[in-house]
């Protein structure tokens, strides 16, 4: 709690090694969650461990072992990049010479080889984000915690940041807990997600498993799309239609036959029918929808008002069955 404000509530979870994203709209509690795991803010109640260290009492040991890229500006403007990064290495306990050598290496790794002697005050947002990443990986941590790593970056810088993180995680075989509200970024790097909203856990699991809850068939029809839509509704399906393209939930194998029968009866031609591969964005919307939030896009969600219906999932089934 921040004073009387409950920022995280009934947040009971275990995150295994690997690449995990902490997802949720603005104000969901992502940064609070991360700061709690790092021992940077004290829990009001509850307990936890990171890499076997207690988050209440062993914050120093946790912070020494992980790499943290905060969302806020954490650099010293009057330092040059190489000294800033070296300093971060020293803070984790590295010897000065090794820290200096590593600072050069990691700055090259994040694409700042030529700018490493420049003062940070002259850096663009992209260069500052890259410097923050260099600070976080100087000691080659087994776990990297990144809060909105692509925040404020243009397309090119964002692509480069994601590629670099991907390399650290996949080729370097390191774990990452990455906080974001950008589904695309998450899908590039992470295999698992933890989704939170208004301080509560709403879903957790492998992206591919979570996507399986949202199996849909995409149907392209020719002539009589409205008739087809009505026929499907009458048959108990709930089509979502955009022009001639419709999607229905695939209940089981028989859904395909049912759709074909309905089309024959309605005298509608089906031009194409295939399983639809949902994006993480689709998944987010489905989950929010099932929890009673009337949102149409994640952009809506970012400004969403409190829901009008009751939404709390059972605390005994965090991320449970939708
Ligand atoms: N230092 C603070 N004092 C009081 N309230 C705070 C503080 N920090 C965060 N909050 C509140 O706690 C809630 C969770 O905030 P938090 O920063 O963890 O969200 P977030 O998911 O990281 O959001 P964003 O996507 O905007 O970074 C919000 O309602 C926020 O206003
Ligand atoms: Mg945040």
């Amino acid at each position: 709690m921040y004073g009387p404000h409950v920022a995280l509530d009934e947040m009971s979870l275990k995150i295994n090694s690997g690449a995990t994203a902490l997802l949720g709209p603005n104000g969901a509690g992502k940064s609070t969650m991360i700061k709690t795991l790092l021992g940077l803010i004290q829990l009001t109640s509850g307990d936890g461990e990171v890499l076997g260290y207690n988050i209440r009492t062993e914050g120093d040991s946790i912070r020494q072992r992980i790499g943290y890229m905060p969302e806020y500006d954490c650099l010293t403007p009057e330092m040059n990049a190489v000294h800033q990064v070296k300093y971060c290495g020293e803070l984790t306990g590295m010897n000065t010479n090794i820290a200096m050598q590593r600072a050069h290496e990691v700055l090259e790794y994040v694409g700042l080889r030529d700018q490493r002697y420049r003062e940070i005050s002259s850096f663009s947002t992209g260069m500052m984000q890259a410097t923050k990443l260099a600070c976080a990986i100087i000691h080659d941590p087994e776990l990297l915690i990144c809060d909105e790593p692509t925040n404020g970056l243009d397309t090119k810088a964002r692509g480069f940041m994601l590629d670099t993180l991907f390399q650290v995680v996949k080729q370097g075989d390191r774990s990452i807990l990455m906080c974001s509200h950008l589904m695309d970024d998450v899908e590039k790097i992470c295999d698992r997600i933890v989704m939170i909203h208004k301080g509560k856990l709403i879903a957790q699991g492998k992206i591919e498993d979570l996507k399986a809850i949202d199996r849909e068939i995409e149907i392209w029809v020719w002539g009589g799309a409205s008739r087809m839509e009505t026929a499907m509704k009458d048959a108990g399906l709930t089509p979502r239609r955009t022009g001639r393209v419709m999607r229905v939930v695939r209940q089981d194998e028989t859904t395909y036959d049912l759709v074909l029968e309905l089309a024959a009866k309605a005298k509608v031609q089906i031009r194409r029918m295939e399983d639809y591969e949902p994006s993480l964005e689709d998944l987010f919307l489905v989950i929010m929808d099932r929890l009673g939030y009337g949102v149409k896009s994640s952009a809506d969600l970012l400004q969403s008002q409190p829901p009008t219906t009751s939404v709390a999932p059972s605390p005994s089934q965090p991320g449970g069955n939708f």
Side-chain angles (χ1 to χ4, degrees):
M1 295 171 79
Y2 293 109
H5 179 73
V6 180
L8 291 176
D9 196 13
E10 293 167 7
M11 187 66 76
S12 182
L13 78 165
K14 177 178 176 174
I15 301 175
N16 291 322
S17 55
T20 304
L22 192 53
L23 282 175
N26 290 133
K30 304 180 297 291
S31 299
T32 303
M33 173 85 179
I34 283 181
K35 288 178 204 158
T36 308
L37 295 178
L38 292 171
L40 290 174
I41 43 183
Q42 277 295 321
L43 294 174
T44 319
S45 67
D47 223 324
E49 278 183 3
V50 175
L51 303 174
Y53 295 94
N54 189 290
I55 59 177
R56 277 182 180 277
T57 56
E58 295 174 299
D60 283 353
S61 302
I62 294 170
R63 293 192 294 275
Q64 197 171 23
R65 280 162 184 81
I66 57 93
Y68 174 42
M69 196 178 157
E71 67 177 336
Y72 50 84
D73 184 12
C74 60
L75 303 171
T76 315
E78 59 274 16
M79 273 190 176
N80 67 27
V82 81
H83 279 98
Q84 170 74 81
V85 177
K86 168 188 158 249
Y87 177 57
C88 286
E90 288 171 337
L91 287 178
T92 69
M94 287 172 103
N95 148 312
T96 304
N97 293 335
I98 294 176
M100 183 55 107
Q101 188 193 328
R102 279 286 298 168
H104 285 281
E105 284 169 20
V106 288
L107 279 165
E108 177 157 6
Y109 192 71
V110 302
L112 291 179
R113 184 179 187 280
D114 297 339
Q115 294 87 357
R116 67 202 144 137
Y117 292 112
R118 259 174 61 182
E119 253 189 28
I120 286 165
S121 58
S122 73
F123 276 10
S124 67
T125 310
M127 288 155 72
M128 285 203 251
Q129 284 296 93
T131 309
K132 277 158 70 174
L133 177 60
C135 291
I137 60 177
I138 184 168
H139 55 313
D140 194 18
E142 63 182 286
L143 170 63
L144 192 58
I145 298 184
C146 300
D147 198 344
E148 304 282 357
T150 58
N151 215 3
L153 303 190
D154 63 21
T155 313
K156 191 165 159 247
R158 180 172 161 226
F160 187 77
M161 173 61 70
L162 292 172
D163 286 349
T164 313
L165 285 173
F166 185 84
Q167 270 177 31
V168 171
V169 174
K170 301 288 167 177
Q171 287 164 18
D173 197 21
R174 298 289 181 267
S175 288
I176 186 169
L177 179 63
M178 174 178 140
C179 204
S180 183
H181 54 256
L182 298 171
M183 309 293 155
D184 285 353
D185 288 9
V186 163
E187 284 211 270
K188 289 202 177 82
I189 297 174
C190 300
D191 312 308
R192 308 180 73 89
I193 53 170
V194 170
M195 224 178 247
I196 61 178
H197 190 52
K198 297 196 188 294
K200 288 191 190 276
L201 181 62
I202 59 166
Q204 184 188 5
K206 269 192 176 163
I207 292 176
E208 59 181 69
D209 291 347
L210 285 166
K211 279 185 172 180
I213 68 169
D214 185 30
R215 286 249 159 81
E216 287 187 315
I217 306 173
E218 192 164 77
I219 305 152
W220 301 61
V221 297
W222 187 256
S226 300
R227 282 204 309 283
M228 186 64 188
E229 190 182 10
T230 310
M232 288 200 279
K233 280 183 183 157
D234 291 347
L237 301 175
T238 40
R240 291 197 287 142
R241 179 181 161 197
T242 320
R244 291 177 190 155
V245 184
M246 285 172 234
R247 278 192 232 143
V248 287
V249 173
R250 199 197 78 142
Q251 272 139 4
D252 54 40
E253 285 301 312
T254 63
T255 311
Y256 302 102
D257 291 340
L258 178 60
V259 169
L260 290 174
E261 271 170 35
L262 294 171
K265 270 194 209 144
K267 300 198 185 321
V268 172
Q269 231 186 75
I270 290 190
R271 286 288 172 97
R272 203 161 104 193
M273 179 157 80
E274 64 192 14
D275 287 338
Y276 175 75
E277 167 75 20
S279 67
L280 198 51
E281 167 106 15
D282 292 329
L283 178 68
F284 196 25
L285 299 181
V286 165
I287 290 173
M288 295 310 292
D289 198 43
R290 291 190 193 179
L291 290 175
Y293 291 83
V295 288
K296 294 199 173 52
S297 73
S298 60
D300 282 359
L301 196 59
L302 297 177
Q303 291 126 37
S304 73
Q305 300 300 311
T308 47
T309 48
S310 165
V311 296
S314 158
S316 59
Q317 291 186 325
N321 311 312
F322 299 100

